[in-house]
Amino acid sequence: MSTYTTDVHAERVGHLGLITLNRPKALNALSLVMVRELNHVLQQWQDDAQVRAVVVRGSNKEGPFGAFCAGGDIRYFHQAALSGDVTLEDFFTEEYSLNHLIQNYPKPYIALMDGIVMGGGMGISQGAALRVVTERTKMAMPETHIGLFPDVGGGYFLGRCHGPKCPDHMGEYLALTGYVLRGGESLHVGLADVCVDSAALPALWDGLRQQDWVSGDAVTAWLREQCKTTTEQALATVPAWQNASIDKVFGLATVLEMEQALQGSDEWSVQTLKALHHQSPLMLCVTLEQIRRGRQMSLAEDLRMERDMVRHCFQTDHLSRRGVSSETVEGIRALAVDKDHSPKWLPARIADVTPEMVLPFFESPWPASAHPLRHLS
């Protein structure tokens, strides 16, 4: 059984469900059509006794692998916000429902996270039973760069970063700076499970297709064994992000205190402060609140909170800002539309952000009984 759409290819081979994201010119950025196709296929397969595991990959311009998913389609966000397109609301509701489905999938769901894995790409991979990275993996949640926040469950999974040497406040560091984890670095913070050489991926894919799997657990066990040596090598490497100052700085109570603590002349402080100063001051403060709330929430609670937040990103009524004047639309304009890389943030300085600007992002526009994600449990 195979289903083909323009951007998603799903096929059942033996007892496996195989999905290829096939929008390479956009680095497999998720459209509403893709989100709906993924939801449809995964719901079908979870009820199909013949499907024992699901594997997802992304294609690039040269063929399979090389680009997993760069996130949501931000150009669509921009156009929809300016035109009043109501499908923008549907996109976030259905994308977050997809994230929840993957996190709670009843069969092993395996993500081959080669190449870029950012934003929405994290949303469709962090809930996987096995998260496979390669030396080409570039993993990040860079949403504050476009005046957004790390959504798709970011408050939940970034708040739970862990590892033997992982800082307690690694989640805040990744969320606020948009730092890109390369290759096996993600293993050290609990955002990936195993690592394999990218050159081995075609043979792995063929190996998956050729075997008659007796169970989903057998699939994950076989993949773990194939990745064992490369994973051990990656874990033995000191990650580039390792710095004793991460907890000292990102454990502070406010973004303003973090900014003040980064006034040193060492290279890490200079580069980290530069990263913060490139982001939306308002959304840095909103994101810090999100990560710290999300750390104490269930996934369903976090996704409902993020659904509230993303509505306020495009309809910031408490700041009398909508559409073109919102941080998110301005951030996307500067990065992806006009490409001047000079967003005009309001306020322009971290010191000028007040709690009265931040806290309304966490007030739900809907009563609990009418929340668009009320069905998540």
Side-chain angles (χ1 to χ4, degrees), residues 29-322:
L30 297 172
S31 65
L32 179 57
V33 170
M34 291 171 73
V35 167
R36 287 177 171 169
E37 180 68 14
L38 289 167
N39 261 314
H40 173 71
V41 168
L42 289 174
Q43 287 169 6
Q44 273 194 324
W45 284 348
Q46 74 176 348
D47 298 324
D48 186 340
Q50 293 302 309
V51 177
R52 291 171 184 163
V54 174
V55 188
V56 60
R57 66 176 178 178
S59 61
N60 70 9
K61 294 176 184 177
E62 284 72 49
F65 305 111
F68 182 70
C69 175
D73 186 343
I74 61 174
R75 286 176 172 274
Y76 157 70
F77 297 170
H78 186 268
Q79 293 164 357
L82 294 185
S83 66
D85 186 343
V86 295
T87 65
L88 187 61
E89 295 280 343
D90 297 332
F91 178 88
F92 291 109
T93 297
E94 294 179 42
E95 184 186 28
Y96 297 0
S97 295
L98 173 63
N99 303 148
H100 187 268
L101 173 63
I102 290 168
Q103 287 268 5
N104 293 278
Y105 209 62
K107 304 170 182 184
Y109 171 98
I110 298 157
L112 303 180
M113 303 159 71
D114 187 33
I116 291 180
V117 188
M118 296 184 183
M122 292 284 275
I124 61 168
S125 58
Q126 281 305 310
L130 191 67
R131 299 162 299 173
V132 184
V133 293
T134 77
E135 81 285 353
R136 298 190 299 198
T137 298
K138 295 180 181 178
M139 179 186 292
M141 292 296 284
E143 285 78 5
T144 52
H145 191 62
I146 57 164
L148 195 58
F149 63 92
D151 65 335
V152 297
Y156 178 83
F157 59 75
L158 289 180
R160 287 164 171 78
C161 285
H162 65 277
K165 297 181 181 178
C166 179
D168 292 339
H169 297 281
M170 190 70 188
E172 285 94 331
Y173 174 65
L174 294 174
L176 297 179
T177 65
Y179 180 84
V180 179
L181 295 163
R182 295 179 182 270
E185 280 188 305
S186 50
L187 297 172
H188 292 267
V189 297
L191 294 175
D193 302 300
V194 295
C195 186
V196 69
D197 289 335
S198 60
L201 287 172
L204 276 186
W205 189 261
D206 289 342
L208 287 167
R209 294 174 64 94
Q210 290 167 9
Q211 298 189 48
D212 184 21
W213 299 104
V214 296
S215 70
D217 289 342
V219 181
T220 56
W222 180 80
L223 279 169
R224 281 185 180 277
E225 185 60 31
Q226 304 305 307
C227 301
K228 184 177 180 181
T229 301
T230 313
T231 302
E232 290 172 350
Q233 291 169 349
L235 288 171
T237 304
V238 177
W241 53 257
Q242 195 167 75
N243 191 299
S245 297
I246 288 179
D247 272 345
K248 292 178 185 176
V249 173
F250 289 90
L252 293 169
T254 67
V255 179
L256 181 59
E257 289 175 67
M258 295 173 190
E259 181 186 43
Q260 292 166 345
L262 288 167
Q263 299 301 322
S265 59
D266 63 286
E267 181 68 13
W268 183 83
S269 295
V270 170
Q271 293 303 317
T272 303
L273 186 60
K274 183 180 178 181
L276 291 185
H277 282 166
H278 203 72
Q279 326 290 42
S280 159
L282 173 60
M283 297 314 296
L284 285 174
C285 297
V286 170
T287 294
L288 180 62
E289 183 74 14
Q290 171 211 1
I291 297 300
R292 293 188 171 165
R293 291 188 184 212
R295 188 172 276 135
Q296 310 302 324
M297 290 178 166
S298 68
L299 176 65
E301 290 167 339
D302 177 72
L303 288 169
R304 278 191 283 271
M305 174 182 74
E306 292 178 10
R307 185 64 187 86
D308 298 339
M309 293 170 66
V310 81
R311 160 66 80 86
H312 292 306
C313 283
F314 289 96
Q315 300 179 24
T316 320
D317 293 344
H318 70 280
L319 297 174
S320 301
R321 286 154 60 184
R322 279 189 174 223

